[in-house]
Protein backbone atom coordinates (compact mmCIF):
# COMPACT_ATOMS: atom_id res chain seq x y z
CA UNK A 1 0.00 0.00 0.00
CA UNK A 2 1.38 3.44 -0.70
CA UNK A 3 0.28 6.98 -1.07
CA UNK A 4 2.85 9.20 -2.70
CA UNK A 5 2.94 12.46 -4.51
CA UNK A 6 5.64 12.01 -7.12
CA UNK A 7 5.04 10.95 -10.71
CA UNK A 8 5.40 7.23 -11.42
CA UNK A 9 7.89 7.43 -14.25
CA UNK A 10 10.35 9.19 -12.05
CA UNK A 11 10.45 5.95 -10.04
CA UNK A 12 9.64 3.16 -12.49
CA UNK A 13 10.50 3.28 -16.17
CA UNK A 14 8.14 1.71 -18.74
CA UNK A 15 7.61 -1.92 -17.79
CA UNK A 16 8.73 -4.51 -20.35
CA UNK A 17 5.85 -6.50 -21.78
CA UNK A 18 6.68 -9.77 -19.95
CA UNK A 19 6.14 -8.12 -16.60
CA UNK A 20 2.89 -7.26 -14.84
CA UNK A 21 0.35 -5.40 -16.92
CA UNK A 22 0.39 -1.68 -16.20
CA UNK A 23 -3.17 -0.68 -15.38
CA UNK A 24 -4.26 2.83 -14.41
CA UNK A 25 -7.44 3.28 -12.37
CA UNK A 26 -9.10 6.61 -13.16
CA UNK A 27 -12.41 8.31 -12.52
CA UNK A 28 -13.86 11.25 -10.59
CA UNK A 29 -13.21 11.58 -6.87
CA UNK A 30 -15.51 9.38 -4.73
CA UNK A 31 -16.31 7.00 -7.60
CA UNK A 32 -14.77 4.12 -5.61
CA UNK A 33 -11.33 3.71 -7.23
CA UNK A 34 -9.42 3.09 -4.01
CA UNK A 35 -12.14 0.77 -2.74
CA UNK A 36 -11.73 -1.26 -5.95
CA UNK A 37 -7.96 -1.41 -5.49
CA UNK A 38 -8.03 -2.51 -1.86
CA UNK A 39 -10.87 -4.96 -2.43
CA UNK A 40 -8.66 -6.64 -5.05
CA UNK A 41 -5.54 -6.44 -2.88
CA UNK A 42 -6.91 -7.59 0.47
CA UNK A 43 -10.11 -9.38 -0.60
CA UNK A 44 -12.00 -7.36 1.95
CA UNK A 45 -13.53 -3.91 2.33
CA UNK A 46 -11.03 -1.26 3.43
CA UNK A 47 -12.20 2.15 4.59
CA UNK A 48 -10.64 4.75 2.30
CA UNK A 49 -9.49 8.35 2.64
CA UNK A 50 -9.40 10.76 -0.31
CA UNK A 51 -6.36 9.95 -2.46
CA UNK A 52 -3.98 12.93 -2.61
CA UNK A 53 -1.40 11.38 -4.92
CA UNK A 54 -1.66 7.73 -5.89
CA UNK A 55 -1.88 4.23 -4.47
CA UNK A 56 -0.11 1.39 -6.20
CA UNK A 57 -0.32 -2.38 -5.82
CA UNK A 58 0.88 -5.41 -7.75
CA UNK A 59 -1.86 -8.02 -7.62
CA UNK A 60 -2.28 -11.50 -9.10
CA UNK A 61 -5.80 -11.85 -10.47
CA UNK A 62 -7.47 -15.19 -11.21
CA UNK A 63 -8.63 -15.61 -14.80
CA UNK A 64 -11.53 -18.02 -15.07
CA UNK A 65 -11.87 -21.17 -13.02
CA UNK A 66 -8.89 -23.15 -14.36
CA UNK A 67 -6.28 -21.69 -12.02
CA UNK A 68 -4.82 -19.27 -14.58
CA UNK A 69 -3.67 -15.94 -13.19
CA UNK A 70 -2.31 -12.68 -14.52
CA UNK A 71 -0.20 -10.10 -12.70
CA UNK A 72 -1.57 -6.58 -12.75
CA UNK A 73 0.32 -3.53 -11.54
CA UNK A 74 -2.41 -1.07 -10.60
CA UNK A 75 -1.99 2.68 -10.25
CA UNK A 76 -4.95 4.30 -8.48
CA UNK A 77 -4.67 8.01 -9.14
CA UNK A 78 -6.45 10.80 -7.26
CA UNK A 79 -9.60 11.96 -9.09
CA UNK A 80 -10.05 15.46 -7.69
CA UNK A 81 -10.16 18.13 -10.39
CA UNK A 82 -6.80 19.61 -9.41
CA UNK A 83 -5.13 16.19 -9.69
CA UNK A 84 -6.57 15.22 -13.09
CA UNK A 85 -3.85 16.96 -15.15
CA UNK A 86 -1.50 14.34 -13.63
CA UNK A 87 -3.45 11.41 -15.10
CA UNK A 88 -1.55 11.68 -18.38
CA UNK A 89 1.80 10.93 -16.79
CA UNK A 90 0.40 7.69 -15.33
CA UNK A 91 -1.26 6.48 -18.53
CA UNK A 92 1.81 6.98 -20.72
CA UNK A 93 2.84 3.31 -20.64
CA UNK A 94 -0.54 1.81 -19.75
CA UNK A 95 -1.60 -1.58 -21.07
CA UNK A 96 -5.15 -0.88 -19.95
CA UNK A 97 -7.33 1.64 -18.15
CA UNK A 98 -9.98 1.04 -15.51
CA UNK A 99 -12.41 3.97 -15.42
CA UNK A 100 -14.63 3.86 -12.34
CA UNK A 101 -17.93 5.74 -12.24
CA UNK A 102 -20.38 6.22 -9.39
CA UNK A 103 -23.63 4.88 -10.86
CA UNK A 104 -25.63 7.03 -8.42
CA UNK A 105 -23.95 10.33 -9.20
CA UNK A 106 -26.16 11.35 -12.12
CA UNK A 107 -25.20 15.00 -11.74
CA UNK A 108 -21.52 14.33 -12.42
CA UNK A 109 -21.99 11.76 -15.20
CA UNK A 110 -21.36 14.46 -17.84
CA UNK A 111 -18.12 15.41 -16.07
CA UNK A 112 -17.10 11.75 -15.95
CA UNK A 113 -17.85 11.43 -19.67
CA UNK A 114 -15.70 14.46 -20.48
CA UNK A 115 -12.74 13.11 -18.50
CA UNK A 116 -13.08 9.61 -19.97
CA UNK A 117 -13.17 10.89 -23.55
CA UNK A 118 -10.34 13.35 -22.89
CA UNK A 119 -7.94 10.69 -21.58
CA UNK A 120 -8.78 8.06 -24.22
CA UNK A 121 -8.40 10.57 -27.07
CA UNK A 122 -4.77 11.31 -26.20
CA UNK A 123 -2.38 10.16 -28.89
CA UNK A 124 -0.47 7.82 -26.58
CA UNK A 125 -3.69 6.19 -25.32
CA UNK A 126 -5.11 5.38 -28.75
CA UNK A 127 -6.14 1.74 -28.79
CA UNK A 128 -5.56 1.17 -25.07
CA UNK A 129 -8.45 -1.01 -23.79
CA UNK A 130 -10.76 0.51 -21.19
CA UNK A 131 -12.73 -1.30 -18.52
CA UNK A 132 -15.53 1.03 -17.44
CA UNK A 133 -16.73 0.03 -13.97
CA UNK A 134 -20.31 1.11 -13.20
CA UNK A 135 -19.75 1.04 -9.46
CA UNK A 136 -22.15 1.22 -6.47
CA UNK A 137 -24.73 -0.98 -8.16
CA UNK A 138 -25.79 -2.09 -4.65
CA UNK A 139 -27.52 1.27 -4.12
CA UNK A 140 -31.18 1.50 -4.99
CA UNK A 141 -30.81 4.69 -7.01
CA UNK A 142 -28.00 3.28 -9.18
CA UNK A 143 -28.50 3.92 -12.90
CA UNK A 144 -29.07 0.88 -15.09
CA UNK A 145 -26.14 -0.22 -17.24
CA UNK A 146 -27.73 0.98 -20.49
CA UNK A 147 -28.21 4.42 -19.01
CA UNK A 148 -24.57 4.60 -17.85
CA UNK A 149 -23.49 3.57 -21.35
CA UNK A 150 -25.62 6.28 -22.91
CA UNK A 151 -24.61 9.07 -20.52
CA UNK A 152 -20.92 8.27 -20.93
CA UNK A 153 -21.40 8.06 -24.72
CA UNK A 154 -19.32 4.89 -24.82
CA UNK A 155 -20.29 4.23 -28.41
CA UNK A 156 -18.42 7.44 -29.32
CA UNK A 157 -15.14 6.28 -27.80
CA UNK A 158 -13.93 5.51 -31.29
CA UNK A 159 -13.37 2.37 -33.28
CA UNK A 160 -9.81 2.06 -31.96
CA UNK A 161 -10.65 2.02 -28.26
CA UNK A 162 -11.88 -1.39 -27.10
CA UNK A 163 -14.06 -1.06 -24.02
CA UNK A 164 -16.20 -3.14 -21.71
CA UNK A 165 -18.82 -1.81 -19.29
CA UNK A 166 -18.97 -3.80 -16.06
CA UNK A 167 -21.59 -3.41 -13.33
CA UNK A 168 -19.92 -3.71 -9.92
CA UNK A 169 -20.12 -3.22 -6.22
CA UNK A 170 -16.58 -2.57 -5.02
CA UNK A 171 -17.38 -2.84 -1.32
CA UNK A 172 -18.16 -6.54 -1.71
CA UNK A 173 -16.07 -7.03 -4.83
CA UNK A 174 -18.92 -8.08 -7.07
CA UNK A 175 -18.14 -7.77 -10.79
CA UNK A 176 -14.46 -6.90 -10.34
CA UNK A 177 -12.90 -10.21 -11.33
CA UNK A 178 -15.25 -10.56 -14.27
CA UNK A 179 -14.34 -7.07 -15.42
CA UNK A 180 -10.61 -7.70 -15.13
CA UNK A 181 -10.94 -10.91 -17.11
CA UNK A 182 -12.53 -8.89 -19.90
CA UNK A 183 -9.82 -6.25 -19.67
CA UNK A 184 -7.12 -8.93 -19.81
CA UNK A 185 -8.74 -10.49 -22.88
CA UNK A 186 -8.85 -7.09 -24.62
CA UNK A 187 -5.18 -6.46 -23.82
CA UNK A 188 -4.12 -9.89 -25.13
CA UNK A 189 -6.12 -9.32 -28.31
CA UNK A 190 -4.54 -5.92 -28.86
CA UNK A 191 -1.03 -7.28 -28.34
CA UNK A 192 -1.69 -10.04 -30.88
CA UNK A 193 -2.92 -7.47 -33.40
CA UNK A 194 0.11 -5.28 -32.82
CA UNK A 195 2.45 -8.26 -33.32
CA UNK A 196 0.68 -9.17 -36.57
CA UNK A 197 0.92 -5.59 -37.82
CA UNK A 198 4.65 -5.52 -37.02
CA UNK A 199 5.21 -8.75 -38.96
CA UNK A 200 3.39 -7.35 -42.00
CA UNK A 201 5.68 -4.31 -42.15
P1 LIG B 1 -12.20 7.28 -4.87
O1 LIG B 1 -10.93 6.55 -4.57
O2 LIG B 1 -12.68 7.08 -6.27
O3 LIG B 1 -12.15 8.73 -4.53
P2 LIG B 1 -13.24 5.77 -2.64
O4 LIG B 1 -13.37 6.65 -3.95
O5 LIG B 1 -12.77 4.40 -2.97
O6 LIG B 1 -12.48 6.53 -1.61
O7 LIG B 1 -14.78 5.63 -2.23
C1 LIG B 1 -15.61 6.79 -2.00
C2 LIG B 1 -16.79 6.36 -1.16
O8 LIG B 1 -17.62 5.46 -1.91
C3 LIG B 1 -16.43 5.61 0.14
O9 LIG B 1 -17.40 5.94 1.11
C4 LIG B 1 -16.62 4.15 -0.25
O10 LIG B 1 -16.89 3.29 0.83
C5 LIG B 1 -17.84 4.27 -1.16
N1 LIG B 1 -17.96 3.14 -2.09
C6 LIG B 1 -17.02 2.64 -2.91
N2 LIG B 1 -17.51 1.62 -3.63
C7 LIG B 1 -18.81 1.47 -3.26
C8 LIG B 1 -19.85 0.58 -3.65
O11 LIG B 1 -19.70 -0.30 -4.50
N3 LIG B 1 -21.06 0.74 -3.04
C9 LIG B 1 -21.27 1.70 -2.09
N4 LIG B 1 -22.49 1.76 -1.55
N5 LIG B 1 -20.31 2.56 -1.69
C10 LIG B 1 -19.10 2.44 -2.27
P3 LIG B 1 -17.15 7.02 2.28
O12 LIG B 1 -18.40 6.94 3.08
O13 LIG B 1 -15.91 6.57 3.00
O14 LIG B 1 -16.97 8.32 1.56
MG1 LIG C 1 -9.11 7.31 -3.86
Amino acid sequence: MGNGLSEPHAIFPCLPSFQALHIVILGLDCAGKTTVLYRLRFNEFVNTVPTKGFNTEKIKVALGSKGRTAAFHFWDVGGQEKLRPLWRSYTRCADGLVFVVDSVDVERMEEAKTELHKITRLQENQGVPVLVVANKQDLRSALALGEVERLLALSELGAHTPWHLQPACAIIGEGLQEGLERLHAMIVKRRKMMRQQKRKR
Side-chain angles (χ1 to χ4, degrees), residues 15-75:
L15 293 167
S17 59
F18 56 83
Q19 289 188 354
L21 297 174
H22 176 122
I23 308 294
V24 186
I25 307 177
L26 301 172
L28 304 187
D29 43 304
C30 284
K33 301 178 295 299
T34 307
T35 308
V36 166
L37 179 73
Y38 290 156
R39 179 79 227 180
L40 291 167
R41 173 66 182 83
F42 301 108
N43 202 22
E44 62 182 38
F45 170 68
V46 175
N47 224 340
T48 57
V49 291
T51 307
K52 295 276 163 47
F54 65 87
N55 302 298
T56 180
E57 298 283 351
K58 267 188 180 167
I59 305 171
K60 254 189 193 169
V61 177
L63 300 174
S65 53
K66 292 181 182 161
R68 280 194 319 134
T69 58
F72 288 82
H73 191 171
F74 291 103
W75 296 86

Side-chain angles (χ1 to χ4, degrees), residues 105-190:
D105 195 355
V106 184
E107 278 181 13
R108 292 205 301 164
M109 216 35 103
E110 180 67 27
E111 194 180 341
K113 170 189 150 184
T114 303
E115 296 298 346
L116 171 64
H117 286 254
K118 203 193 280 175
I119 198 77
T120 53
R121 259 202 313 264
L122 291 174
Q123 175 84 36
E124 66 267 26
N125 292 336
Q126 298 278 314
V128 174
V130 185
L131 170 66
V132 181
V133 175
N135 195 30
K136 307 194 186 181
Q137 287 288 320
D138 56 305
L139 298 175
R140 210 182 283 165
S141 51
L143 290 172
L145 215 55
E147 196 61 1
V148 175
E149 181 175 341
R150 190 182 66 79
L151 291 171
L152 293 177
L154 295 182
S155 61
E156 292 167 23
L157 274 183
H160 299 298
T161 299
W163 57 269
H164 171 71
L165 176 61
Q166 179 67 44
C169 169
I171 50 175
I172 59 163
E174 203 169 82
L176 298 184
Q177 191 188 334
E178 205 181 324
L180 290 176
E181 279 176 26
R182 297 293 296 262
L183 180 62
H184 184 264
M186 290 190 288
I187 293 170
V188 169
K189 192 172 168 192
R190 178 172 182 239

